[in-house]
Amino acid sequence: MRLILSSKKGKLALFLLIIVVLAFINILTGASELSTSQFSCGLIIYLLLVWLLIKNDIRYLKTPAEEIWKKWDPCSSSEHQQRRMMRANTSDITIKEIDKENRFGIFVGDRTYRTTLESCTCPDFKERKLPCKHMYRLASELGLIELPDPDFKN
Protein backbone atom coordinates (compact mmCIF):
# COMPACT_ATOMS: atom_id res chain seq x y z
CA MET A 1 0.00 0.00 0.00
CA ARG A 2 2.88 2.37 0.79
CA LEU A 3 4.22 1.93 -2.75
CA ILE A 4 0.88 2.93 -4.23
CA LEU A 5 0.46 5.93 -1.93
CA SER A 6 4.00 7.14 -2.64
CA SER A 7 3.12 7.95 -6.26
CA LYS A 8 1.07 10.83 -7.65
CA LYS A 9 -1.32 8.37 -9.30
CA GLY A 10 -1.78 6.54 -6.01
CA LYS A 11 -2.60 9.77 -4.19
CA LEU A 12 -5.13 10.67 -6.88
CA ALA A 13 -6.70 7.20 -6.56
CA LEU A 14 -7.00 7.68 -2.79
CA PHE A 15 -8.61 11.08 -3.36
CA LEU A 16 -11.17 9.51 -5.72
CA LEU A 17 -11.97 6.81 -3.15
CA ILE A 18 -12.51 9.46 -0.48
CA ILE A 19 -14.94 11.27 -2.78
CA VAL A 20 -16.87 8.01 -3.28
CA VAL A 21 -17.06 7.38 0.46
CA LEU A 22 -18.24 10.94 1.14
CA ALA A 23 -20.90 10.67 -1.58
CA PHE A 24 -22.07 7.37 -0.10
CA ILE A 25 -22.32 8.93 3.37
CA ASN A 26 -24.35 11.82 1.90
CA ILE A 27 -26.77 9.37 0.29
CA LEU A 28 -27.14 7.34 3.50
CA THR A 29 -27.85 10.44 5.58
CA GLY A 30 -30.25 11.86 3.01
CA ALA A 31 -28.06 14.92 2.42
CA SER A 32 -27.75 14.15 -1.28
CA GLU A 33 -30.41 14.21 -3.96
CA LEU A 34 -28.65 11.48 -5.95
CA SER A 35 -30.68 8.36 -6.52
CA THR A 36 -29.18 4.95 -5.84
CA SER A 37 -28.92 4.26 -9.56
CA GLN A 38 -27.14 7.57 -10.20
CA PHE A 39 -24.74 6.83 -7.38
CA SER A 40 -24.15 3.30 -8.72
CA CYS A 41 -23.21 4.64 -12.17
CA GLY A 42 -20.87 7.19 -10.62
CA LEU A 43 -19.38 4.54 -8.35
CA ILE A 44 -18.57 2.27 -11.28
CA ILE A 45 -16.85 5.12 -13.12
CA TYR A 46 -14.83 6.18 -10.06
CA LEU A 47 -13.76 2.61 -9.26
CA LEU A 48 -12.72 2.08 -12.88
CA LEU A 49 -10.59 5.24 -12.71
CA VAL A 50 -9.03 4.08 -9.45
CA TRP A 51 -8.22 0.68 -11.00
CA LEU A 52 -6.64 2.31 -14.05
CA LEU A 53 -4.50 4.52 -11.81
CA ILE A 54 -3.13 1.74 -9.59
CA LYS A 55 -3.19 -1.42 -11.75
CA ASN A 56 0.53 -1.17 -12.65
CA ASP A 57 1.50 -0.84 -8.99
CA ILE A 58 -0.67 -3.85 -8.11
CA ARG A 59 0.96 -5.88 -10.91
CA TYR A 60 4.39 -4.81 -9.64
CA LEU A 61 3.58 -5.93 -6.10
CA LYS A 62 2.27 -9.32 -7.28
CA THR A 63 5.28 -10.10 -9.51
CA PRO A 64 8.35 -11.66 -7.83
CA ALA A 65 11.31 -9.28 -7.58
CA GLU A 66 13.62 -11.67 -9.43
CA GLU A 67 11.24 -11.80 -12.39
CA ILE A 68 11.00 -8.01 -12.56
CA TRP A 69 14.77 -7.51 -12.33
CA LYS A 70 15.50 -10.23 -14.92
CA LYS A 71 14.30 -7.96 -17.74
CA TRP A 72 17.40 -5.77 -17.20
CA ASP A 73 19.90 -8.68 -17.58
CA PRO A 74 20.62 -8.08 -21.30
CA CYS A 75 21.76 -4.50 -20.73
CA SER A 76 23.72 -4.89 -17.49
CA SER A 77 27.00 -5.98 -19.08
CA SER A 78 27.54 -2.82 -21.14
CA GLU A 79 30.33 -0.46 -20.07
CA HIS A 80 27.88 2.38 -19.38
CA GLN A 81 25.76 0.17 -17.14
CA GLN A 82 28.83 -1.16 -15.34
CA ARG A 83 29.79 2.43 -14.50
CA ARG A 84 26.30 3.06 -13.12
CA MET A 85 26.60 -0.07 -11.00
CA MET A 86 29.92 1.20 -9.68
CA ARG A 87 28.37 4.59 -8.82
CA ALA A 88 25.49 2.81 -7.08
CA ASN A 89 28.01 1.44 -4.60
CA THR A 90 29.56 4.79 -3.70
CA SER A 91 28.67 7.24 -0.99
CA ASP A 92 27.16 9.87 -3.32
CA ILE A 93 23.79 8.07 -3.04
CA THR A 94 21.88 8.86 0.11
CA ILE A 95 19.16 6.40 0.99
CA LYS A 96 16.21 8.09 2.64
CA GLU A 97 14.11 4.92 2.77
CA ILE A 98 14.15 1.35 1.50
CA ASP A 99 10.90 -0.58 1.79
CA LYS A 100 11.92 -4.20 1.26
CA GLU A 101 8.39 -5.56 1.49
CA ASN A 102 7.03 -3.27 -1.26
CA ARG A 103 10.38 -3.17 -3.13
CA PHE A 104 10.80 0.56 -3.52
CA GLY A 105 13.21 3.17 -2.31
CA ILE A 106 13.47 6.90 -1.82
CA PHE A 107 16.90 8.33 -2.63
CA VAL A 108 18.09 11.86 -1.97
CA GLY A 109 20.61 13.67 -4.15
CA ASP A 110 20.10 17.02 -5.81
CA ARG A 111 16.42 16.07 -5.57
CA THR A 112 14.38 13.22 -4.11
CA TYR A 113 13.82 10.20 -6.37
CA ARG A 114 11.19 7.45 -6.08
CA THR A 115 12.70 4.19 -7.28
CA THR A 116 11.33 0.72 -8.02
CA LEU A 117 12.90 -2.24 -9.82
CA GLU A 118 11.10 -1.07 -12.97
CA SER A 119 11.65 2.68 -12.95
CA CYS A 120 13.05 5.75 -11.25
CA THR A 121 12.02 9.39 -11.26
CA CYS A 122 15.62 10.56 -11.83
CA PRO A 123 16.57 12.28 -15.12
CA ASP A 124 18.98 9.47 -16.09
CA PHE A 125 16.25 6.82 -16.13
CA LYS A 126 13.66 9.14 -17.69
CA GLU A 127 16.02 9.88 -20.58
CA ARG A 128 17.52 6.42 -21.24
CA LYS A 129 14.86 3.99 -19.93
CA LEU A 130 17.66 1.75 -18.60
CA PRO A 131 18.55 1.08 -14.95
CA CYS A 132 20.10 4.04 -13.16
CA LYS A 133 22.38 3.98 -10.12
CA HIS A 134 19.33 4.26 -7.83
CA MET A 135 17.75 1.15 -9.35
CA TYR A 136 21.02 -0.79 -9.06
CA ARG A 137 21.34 0.26 -5.43
CA LEU A 138 17.75 -0.80 -4.71
CA ALA A 139 18.35 -4.18 -6.39
CA SER A 140 21.47 -4.60 -4.26
CA GLU A 141 19.65 -3.68 -1.05
CA LEU A 142 16.96 -6.25 -1.94
CA GLY A 143 19.63 -8.93 -2.46
CA LEU A 144 19.02 -9.32 -6.20
CA ILE A 145 22.52 -8.31 -7.33
CA GLU A 146 25.95 -7.79 -5.90
CA LEU A 147 27.47 -4.46 -6.78
CA PRO A 148 31.14 -4.22 -7.80
CA ASP A 149 33.59 -2.92 -5.22
CA PRO A 150 34.46 0.68 -6.21
CA ASP A 151 37.92 0.30 -4.63
CA PHE A 152 38.83 -2.79 -6.66
CA LYS A 153 41.15 -2.10 -9.60
CA ASN A 154 41.62 -4.64 -12.43
Side-chain angles (χ1 to χ4, degrees):
M1 185 65 150
R2 289 185 64 224
L3 169 71
I4 294 170
L5 292 178
S6 72
S7 71
K8 289 178 184 176
K9 287 181 180 180
K11 289 174 184 159
L12 178 58
L14 179 61
F15 176 74
L16 291 174
L17 286 174
I18 290 170
I19 289 173
V20 167
V21 169
L22 292 174
F24 184 67
I25 291 170
N26 279 337
I27 288 173
L28 287 178
T29 61
S32 173
E33 294 180 16
L34 283 176
S35 69
T36 306
S37 62
Q38 289 171 323
F39 175 74
S40 298
C41 289
L43 176 64
I44 291 168
I45 292 169
Y46 272 83
L47 292 178
L48 181 60
L49 286 171
V50 168
W51 171 249
L52 290 173
L53 288 169
I54 64 173
K55 70 178 181 150
N56 287 335
D57 286 341
I58 291 171
R59 180 197 45 77
Y60 176 79
L61 292 170
K62 290 176 117 182
T63 306
E66 296 79 10
E67 188 177 321
I68 293 169
W69 190 251
K70 192 183 339 177
K71 81 175 195 176
W72 301 117
D73 284 348
C75 69
S76 63
S77 60
S78 78
E79 183 181 333
H80 293 289
Q81 291 307 107
Q82 289 295 314
R83 284 196 300 252
R84 280 176 183 80
M85 289 174 79
M86 193 73 78
R87 286 197 304 270
N89 207 16
T90 62
S91 61
D92 69 334
I93 293 183
T94 303
I95 300 172
K96 182 175 180 182
E97 176 184 359
I98 297 285
D99 184 330
K100 291 186 177 188
E101 182 181 347
N102 292 301
R103 302 180 319 239
F104 80 96
I106 306 293
F107 295 88
V108 180
D110 298 335
R111 295 174 48 204
T112 301
Y113 304 114
R114 178 182 180 269
T115 306
T116 69
L117 296 172
E118 292 181 322
S119 66
C120 184
T121 58
C122 75
D124 184 38
F125 180 81
K126 284 182 178 180
E127 181 181 317
R128 296 177 321 102
K129 301 293 185 222
L130 292 172
C132 61
K133 63 184 178 181
H134 308 105
M135 292 171 69
Y136 282 120
R137 183 61 179 268
L138 177 62
S140 172
E141 294 289 327
L142 296 175
L144 298 172
I145 62 170
E146 194 169 316
L147 294 173
D149 184 354
D151 297 326
F152 180 76
K153 307 285 186 226
N154 288 344

